[in-house]
Amino acid sequence: MSLNIHYKEDFQNRHIAPNEADTAEMLQTVGVNSIDELIEQTVPTAIRLKQPLNLPAAKSETEYLGALKQTSLLNKVFKSFIGQGYYDTITPGVILRNVFENPGWYTQYTPYQAEIAQGRLQALLNFQTMVIDLTGMEIANASLLDEGTAAAEAMFMQYSTRKSQAAKKFFVSELVFAQTIDILKTRANPYGIELVIGSHLDFVATEDFFGAIVQYPAGNGEVFDYKDFAAELHNQNIKLTVAADILSLTLLTPPGEWGADIVLGTTQRFGIPMGFGGPHAAFFATKDEYKRSIPGRIIGVTIDSHGDYALRMALQTREQHIRRDKATSNICTAQALLAIMAGFYAAYHGPKGLKAIAERTHGLAVSLASTLKNLGYEQLNSAYFDTIRFDLGDLKGGIHSGCLDNEINLNYVGNVATISIDETTTFEDIRLIARIFAKVKAVAADQVEVIEDVETVIPSALQRTSAYLKHPVFNSHHSEHEMLRYIKSLEAKDLSLCHSMIALGSCTMKLNATAEMIPVTWSHFGRIHPFAPADQVLGYYSIFNELDKWLSEITGFAAMSLQPNAGAQGEYAGLMVIRAYHHDRGDFHRNVALIPASAHGTNPASAAMADMKIVVVKSLENGNIDVEDLKAKAELYKENLSCLMVTYPSTHGVFEESIIEICETIHANGGQVYMDGANMNAQVGLTSPANIGADVCHLNLHKTFCIPHGGGGPGMGPIGVAKHLVPYLPGHAVVDIDKGKSISAVSSAPWGSASILIISHAYIAMMGADGLTNATKYAILNANYMKARLEQHYPVLYSGAQGRCAHEMILDCRSFKAFGIEVTDIAKRLMDYGFHAPTVSFPVAGTLMVEPTESEPKHELDRFCEALIAIKEEISEVENGTLDKVDNPLKNAPHTVAVITANEWEHAYSRQTAAFPLPYVLERKFWPSVGRVNDSHGDRSLICACPPVESYLEEIVP
Ligand SMILES: *Cc1c(COP(=O)(O)O)cnc(C)c1O
């Protein structure tokens, strides 16, 4: 027997689930002899790549992690005192392991199916409650992408709800963080909003302003009393947004108590690693009167079909899918996982623990400031929380190098330094800083006396007196066992990829391999400040360079911007790049965006944000773009055509043959082609956006490139562009990434949620060209196999010229309406079978869109098909009268354990039919934790914080 000593495990065999025998059977069912034959029939020859992708040879998991470890060591983990919105923090181990590193929390999608997402919904409700309490506001959402984009959303919300159309000015305090001002510039520009940047102390409120924003504490560390400023604004009908530091609000009077209309910020320092910029959850809180204009998602309390407490996403009619070009925001994916972690962090520490952390942080700042002053340094701020500011004069050089020698980063602006203290700072740290400052004044280390006896320097008028986090959820889980069990009890209510496939069309719920996830929490990636000096972050640079190169190869484009931190942000960034290109050529009038009727709601929402006029292109009966209509409209608007936004393969799951002609038509009329890359999983290695003729494309790395969805974020939406658009890719106010004619920033951090880019880097490195191409082929095979199994039972809407679907398909459920069965009933009934529903009613109302991905094995596809087939039989029984029209398992779905085990059972079908409709269900039953949620009940009276319970009447004063 000869032995293969060069054998190595091939990662693609872990990622792509079907084995050889399964593949053979599936091909037979589909009716082709080989995968390549299927691909021939599916992807039009004219758009196929001629060459395989040029990517490095695939690495095994072990090889990759070994190499990445070396790369990570190129990052230098210095103690960060840089601040400016990013602070080192301690992720409690119980949260790190059981949430951040746990697929039971990170693999879910947005909680569209509330009955099997109650755990995540509760955790997000906790987050909202925390934000409402700490800010002193009335209502909060379940996270936004980052502080800067939250500020832009606030500005726009105030702009769109302004009383006077003539008010076009927005005041920005010059002490707002630089990256936030940069994003405000980007966002203000298309609307013609004039930003007036200056000192709030000199500001004179006039009618032509609609809003203002200040930072609290300010960017220079100073804690201002903005009360009179707020009153003056309100006298002129001007609304005030406050960007606030979440930790400081445990000690400072919350903005809600002195006149803020919107309070936002980041919750990063509540246990989320800096990660070189993200991901972190921004918060956004406002007054109840704005509940219909607030961006992002809101979790609300309602009741289920039994009248019991249940949660769901509230006010769904606000979703940009429905509002389209009337949408006030394009936010879809936000930062659910990080919001959940921040909420758990608050629950674990409780009001007393948070206050103790804040007091220590503040105390160390006071101690260091006093010590430095005693050494003769001039402090430039007097009322502060965690950030002290010193004029170093001509000692700056010595201090700077002394700090670097001791692996310490301060924030320098000229000869002035700010030092931000955080949760991780110790007494030893500030003693070391004091000694460095002493040394340049020739004071010996042992002569430095660090002041230990300190008092707060927060003015008494700004010291918080109101209680917060009184709800039991923040006062019950302070021991690790209690916290562990609380986390696990919530996790158990959520169906995730740990349980079964989640075939959400357009969402690509594929494997998030453990090897891809492991590095994210390495400290050499986690503890890096986004504004750390370039020579300390060479590991990250190496990863970005490779990822840029690889994604450029995959898309066929010249370069990528890794900045946008969600797909919709990528759309916005791409459209702003197109806009900048036209403007640069003097074509200021080019502002028409053609968008097919079937487009995802974020497309028109993003186009509206880029101040484009949206012209809808019709679809044909077969779902394809109506090329004649497109040509007519491109001609009609040729003078003003900016771009076409097109999803490929289409949102109907079809490779349209006409795409090349479509792109040529747009170009011939002076427009650019923006491709929505959400369906990239059907393209990689077979075709590419550039090959098809697009100029820009965003990639949802949280779809095709394995970043887990986290229950509604994080995600990343980098954009690739053709050569002529490279100079316009987003820049950044703090870190120089300028490409020549860069637009201003679209995210707070230069590389967005940098730390999760590693996941996509890992995926590409371990799959290699061959693996990635096979993934696409198997995604298409799996979809066509399901189509073959399901089409006798459910009509499949739309297919390609040869009857094939791409990586997803639409099942038409509209005819069941005739006998009372809605598509929602099928979605809920699937829960009884242990499955999450596919995408409901997008892009066609009354349908299910199924996307299996390459990571699902045949037997899982079979289980899912069998569930859908069994449900179809139940529907037939309703149709033929065997089952009652009202009292049937579909209408009553999902069935909870309480319902099944109750002493009373009054339904015309059996308990077994209700809960164990197929033999396999018994093997691993997943119980929905509530009955069907009542959406309208909750929307009538919106409750978006943990409701009071009897047991917490006694006040817990932190
Ligand atoms: C998911 C998706 C988007 C939006 O991406 P986010 O990352 O959620 O912002 C846009 N277009 C299509 C077709 C999508 O499926």
Side-chain angles (χ1 to χ4, degrees):
M1 173 171 76
S2 76
L3 304 172
N4 178 2
I5 60 166
H6 296 295
Y7 167 76
K8 88 178 181 193
E9 266 183 31
D10 201 351
F11 174 74
Q12 71 163 293
N13 293 337
R14 306 288 185 192
H15 177 87
I16 303 171
N19 60 26
E20 255 174 72
D22 290 344
T23 305
E25 281 181 48
M26 294 201 293
L27 290 170
Q28 196 173 11
T29 308
V30 171
V32 287
N33 293 315
S34 67
I35 295 200
D36 288 330
E37 186 183 335
L38 172 65
I39 299 303
E40 295 284 301
Q41 296 176 4
T42 308
V43 189
T45 322
I47 62 164
R48 289 287 298 278
L49 294 180
K50 307 279 175 294
Q51 318 253 307
L53 294 172
N54 179 15
L55 294 170
K59 289 192 162 72
S60 73
E61 296 181 29
T62 318
E63 283 171 336
Y64 178 77
L65 290 174
L68 191 73
K69 190 81 206 181
Q70 295 309 310
T71 307
S72 78
L73 298 178
L74 300 175
N75 291 335
K76 301 272 177 285
V77 185
F78 281 22
K79 275 238 111 182
S80 174
F81 296 88
I82 299 172
Q84 303 299 304
Y86 302 91
Y87 309 87
D88 204 0
T89 177
I90 297 164
T91 313
V94 65
I95 296 173
L96 179 71
R97 175 155 295 187
N98 298 292
V99 184
F100 203 18
E101 299 178 336
N102 177 358
W105 279 101
Y106 64 63
T107 61
Q108 296 95 320
Y109 205 71
T110 304
Y112 287 127
Q113 299 299 332
E115 295 82 358
I116 48 174
Q118 291 292 303
R120 186 151 87 261
L121 287 161
Q122 182 63 54
L124 290 169
L125 192 75
N126 296 350
F127 172 83
Q128 290 176 180
T129 308
M130 170 190 94
V131 170
I132 289 170
D133 275 16
L134 289 174
T135 57
M137 301 303 284
E138 290 167 345
I139 177 173
N141 72 13
S143 81
L144 286 177
L145 293 168
D146 55 37
E147 179 165 326
T149 55
E153 294 287 344
M155 174 179 72
F156 186 66
M157 193 184 108
Q158 296 187 337
Y159 178 72
S160 57
T161 56
R162 73 199 190 281
K163 296 277 179 305
S164 154
Q165 293 301 307
K168 294 272 258 184
K169 289 186 179 169
F170 187 71
F171 173 76
V172 183
S173 159
E174 62 200 5
L175 297 177
V176 167
F177 293 140
Q179 67 273 21
T180 302
I181 296 179
D182 207 24
I183 296 173
L184 288 171
K185 284 181 184 160
T186 315
R187 194 72 185 268
N189 180 312
Y191 288 106
I193 294 172
E194 187 188 332
L195 295 187
V196 176
I197 304 172
S199 164
H200 77 279
L201 298 169
D202 307 332
F203 179 67
V204 184
T206 50
E207 292 180 333
D208 45 352
F209 283 86
F210 64 87
I213 183 170
V214 293
Q215 189 98 39
Y216 182 67
N220 64 358
E222 190 73 19
V223 178
F224 290 103
D225 188 343
Y226 295 113
K227 195 172 188 171
D228 294 342
F229 176 69
E232 193 192 328
L233 294 181
H234 289 156
N235 276 339
Q236 293 285 352
N237 237 326
I238 303 169
K239 302 292 182 224
L240 177 61
T241 294
V242 179
D245 178 281
I246 191 87
L247 183 62
S248 75
L249 297 182
T250 60
L251 302 184
L252 300 177
T253 310
E257 291 176 22
W258 48 253
D261 298 286
I262 298 174
V263 187
L264 57 86
T266 173
T267 54
Q268 180 266 318
R269 69 193 306 178
F270 276 16
I272 320 298
M274 291 184 285
F276 202 41
H280 320 126
F283 65 88
F284 189 105
T286 185
K287 296 177 170 171
D288 190 65
E289 62 188 276
Y290 298 117
K291 65 181 172 224
R292 287 180 202 278
S293 323
I294 182 171
R297 289 164 169 148
I298 307 174
I299 308 309
V301 180
T302 187
I303 52 171
D304 72 357
S305 51
H306 315 297
D308 295 329
Y309 173 91
L311 302 169
R312 91 282 176 241
M313 291 199 290
L315 305 173
Q316 281 294 284
T317 46
R318 301 161 51 261
E319 280 264 305
Q320 78 299 78
H321 300 89
I322 295 142
R323 302 287 297 273
R324 299 182 70 90
D325 52 320
K326 307 252 170 357
T328 47
S329 160
N330 66 347
I331 297 298
C332 197
T333 291
Q335 302 282 15
L337 182 71
L338 302 312
I340 288 167
M341 287 176 65
F344 279 140
Y345 176 95
Y348 194 43
H349 288 295
K352 288 197 190 118
L354 290 181
K355 194 172 182 201
I357 292 169
E359 285 182 345
R360 183 184 62 212
T361 303
H362 179 46
L364 287 171
V366 178
S367 165
L368 181 58
S370 316
T371 306
L372 298 185
K373 276 195 291 191
N374 280 354
L375 285 167
Y377 286 93
E378 186 194 351
Q379 188 176 2
L380 301 174
N381 56 351
S382 54
Y384 53 87
F385 165 59
D386 64 351
T387 299
I388 56 179
R389 188 160 173 262
F390 278 85
D391 187 348
L392 311 182
D394 50 14
L395 299 180
K396 187 215 160 177
I399 291 172
H400 193 173
S401 60
C403 284
L404 289 178
D405 290 345
N406 286 283
E407 308 202 329
I408 285 173
N409 288 328
L410 309 183
N411 181 45
Y412 306 93
V413 183
N415 285 339
V416 172
T418 57
I419 307 173
S420 294
I421 309 297
D422 62 47
E423 184 191 3
T424 67
T425 312
T426 61
F427 185 71
E428 276 61 47
D429 293 328
I430 64 164
R431 180 158 58 203
L432 181 56
I433 294 176
R435 287 180 174 181
I436 295 166
F437 275 64
K439 193 174 170 195
V440 292
K441 290 210 172 204
V443 177
D446 55 4
Q447 298 294 303
V448 181
E449 197 208 329
V450 180
I451 313 286
E452 290 190 56
D453 201 5
V454 291
E455 290 284 325
T456 179
V457 298
I458 298 167
S460 54
L462 290 176
Q463 289 180 19
R464 183 165 191 152
T465 53
S466 53
Y468 47 84
L469 306 183
K470 293 187 293 181
H471 194 275
V473 81
F474 301 107
N475 295 281
S476 313
H477 313 296
H478 303 328
S479 75
E480 182 164 331
H481 256 155
E482 286 165 303
M483 192 66 205
L484 175 67
R485 289 168 191 155
Y486 182 55
I487 290 171
K488 286 285 165 189
S489 74
L490 295 186
E491 181 190 333
K493 295 180 177 183
D494 284 15
L495 188 132
S496 69
L497 285 177
C498 302
H499 301 98
S500 49
M501 69 185 285
I502 300 181
L504 283 167
S506 204
C507 301
T508 314
M509 300 291 288
K510 58 166 65 173
L511 172 75
N512 315 116
T514 314
E516 292 154 6
M517 298 302 296
I518 282 174
V520 174
T521 51
W522 288 351
S523 65
H524 278 75
F525 292 125
R527 298 187 71 185
I528 309 283
H529 191 288
F531 307 154
D535 60 355
Q536 294 174 18
V537 295
L538 298 180
Y540 265 121
Y541 283 174
S542 141
I543 291 168
F544 299 157
N545 285 340
E546 285 181 340
L547 189 61
D548 184 343
K549 206 160 73 188
W550 298 345
L551 292 176
S552 296
E553 169 68 13
I554 289 168
T555 54
F557 284 132
M560 309 290 300
S561 163
L562 300 177
Q563 191 175 103
N565 46 14
Q569 289 301 93
E571 293 171 20
Y572 174 61
L575 293 175
M576 291 299 286
V577 163
I578 290 176
R579 186 172 179 270
Y581 167 78
H582 285 313
H583 284 196
D584 197 30
R585 294 157 52 95
D587 289 342
F588 294 94
H589 52 280
R590 289 202 173 271
N591 67 349
V592 169
L594 299 184
I595 303 182
S598 62
H600 194 267
T602 52
N603 289 190
S606 300
M609 280 165 57
D611 194 32
M612 295 189 179
K613 308 270 167 291
I614 293 145
V615 173
V616 177
V617 179
K618 285 187 208 144
S619 297
L620 294 173
E621 199 67 4
N622 68 5
N624 288 354
I625 293 179
D626 182 338
V627 181
E628 292 316 310
D629 188 52
L630 177 117
K631 282 186 174 163
K633 283 176 175 152
E635 281 282 323
L636 182 63
Y637 293 101
K638 73 168 177 232
E639 292 305 322
N640 297 321
L641 186 62
S642 173
C643 63
L644 165 75
M645 289 187 90
V646 61
T647 305
Y648 200 76
S650 73
T651 50
H652 292 149
V654 175
F655 282 99
E656 286 165 66
E657 307 263 353
S658 53
I659 191 72
I660 292 181
E661 190 186 354
I662 288 173
C663 293
E664 281 169 3
T665 305
I666 297 302
H667 288 142
N669 289 289
Q672 296 282 295
V673 175
Y674 182 94
M675 184 173 291
D676 180 326
N679 288 344
M680 197 67 198
N681 210 44
Q683 287 192 37
V684 179
L686 298 182
T687 179
S688 77
N691 203 43
I692 289 160
D695 303 285
V696 197
C697 170
H698 79 259
L699 302 175
N700 301 65
L701 296 188
H702 47 299
K703 292 178 181 170
T704 307
F705 295 93
C706 296
I707 293 177
H709 289 81
M716 274 297 278
I719 54 172
V721 294
K723 202 165 162 215
H724 62 285
L725 296 177
V726 175
Y728 309 96
L729 288 176
H732 193 269
V734 182
V735 179
D736 185 9
I737 51 170
D738 198 79
K739 295 273 199 281
K741 296 174 175 179
S742 287
I743 61 167
S744 42
V746 295
S747 301
S748 285
W751 294 277
S753 299
S755 65
I756 53 174
L757 289 172
I758 300 163
I759 300 167
S760 301
H761 182 270
Y763 173 62
I764 299 171
M766 296 191 296
M767 291 290 273
D770 182 50
L772 290 173
T773 310
N774 282 336
T776 312
K777 291 179 178 176
Y778 272 90
I780 292 171
L781 173 62
N782 277 1
N784 279 285
Y785 172 70
M786 290 186 80
K787 178 169 178 283
R789 282 211 60 185
L790 290 170
E791 63 195 347
Q792 304 107 291
H793 309 277
Y794 296 85
V796 174
L797 281 183
Y798 318 123
S799 16
Q802 304 192 49
R804 302 300 179 194
C805 62
H807 65 316
E808 59 190 0
M809 84 216 71
I810 298 175
L811 305 180
D812 193 352
C813 304
R814 291 173 295 190
S815 67
F816 312 143
K817 248 187 142 128
F819 32 95
I821 299 300
E822 305 280 341
V823 67
T824 317
D825 299 322
I826 302 173
K828 301 304 172 192
R829 183 60 175 149
L830 270 168
M831 296 175 188
D832 289 331
Y833 287 79
F835 285 107
H836 191 287
T839 299
V840 176
S841 289
F842 171 79
V844 182
T847 65
L848 295 172
M849 181 155 63
V850 182
E851 179 185 357
T853 85
E854 70 280 7
S855 301
E856 295 302 339
K858 175 174 174 292
H859 71 82
E860 185 68 2
L861 304 180
D862 285 335
R863 287 196 331 122
F864 188 66
C865 289
E866 276 148 30
L868 277 172
I869 293 165
I871 290 173
K872 177 61 195 307
E873 274 158 25
E874 293 171 0
I875 296 171
S876 303
E877 288 178 21
V878 175
E879 184 182 14
N880 66 28
T882 316
L883 282 169
D884 187 80
K885 285 218 156 22
V886 182
D887 181 27
N888 63 56
L890 284 133
K891 284 287 168 200
N892 295 333
H895 297 83
T896 63
V897 75
V899 164
I900 298 297
T901 59
N903 290 335
E904 306 291 314
W905 179 263
E906 287 166 349
H907 302 296
Y909 53 94
S910 72
R911 286 175 154 118
Q912 188 176 2
T913 301
F916 302 101
L918 283 176
Y920 71 64
V921 180
L922 201 51
E923 276 167 42
R924 42 182 218 215
K925 176 69 184 170
F926 184 88
W927 290 103
S929 56
V930 296
R932 199 178 295 191
V933 298
N934 184 327
D935 284 319
S936 50
H937 176 90
D939 284 351
R940 278 194 297 274
S941 57
L942 184 67
I943 301 172
C944 69
C946 300
V949 285
E950 241 80 294
S951 59
Y952 86 107
L953 287 176
E954 67 209 285
E955 282 231 338
I956 305 153
V957 182

